[in-house]
Amino acid sequence: LMQLVSQKGATLPTDTTGENKGMVDHLKNLSGADFDKAYMSHMVTDHKKDVKEFQREATKAQDPDLKAFANQTLPVLQEHLRLAQTVQATVTGERRQSKAD
């Protein structure tokens, strides 16, 4: 993504700000199981948001390079979301239902 953005003459933010800064500050104050649960909750939430944004760009982006990047990256993000949900269920003690259930 950095290469694509650079080729397009744009820049991405380099500092953690806003909502992400709040998440980092929150996690700094946790440890053990509390950290694990909060971290995985943030990971699932963030991956859901990312998947939604990449799905939108994969279908609606006007820039063909950006559209191709979104299409190429979307399956990886979807798999990361699935894995994050599995880990979250483990650390919270919940059982995730598989598609076969």
Side-chain angles (χ1 to χ4, degrees), residues 7-25:
Q7 289 172 354
K8 301 293 179 179
T11 58
L12 294 174
T14 57
D15 293 334
T16 302
T17 58
E19 183 180 324
N20 289 329
K21 175 112 173 76
M23 177 203 49
V24 170
D25 291 342

Side-chain angles (χ1 to χ4, degrees), residues 36-46 88:
D36 294 345
K37 290 174 185 176
Y39 178 80
M40 290 314 302
S41 176
H42 287 295
M43 290 302 98
V44 169
T45 299
D46 285 346
Q88 181 184 36

Side-chain angles (χ1 to χ4, degrees), residues 1-13 63 65-66 69:
L1 181 57
M2 295 293 284
Q3 182 180 359
L4 178 60
V5 169
S6 178
Q7 289 172 354
K8 301 293 179 179
T11 58
L12 294 174
D63 184 290
D65 296 327
L66 180 59
F69 179 83

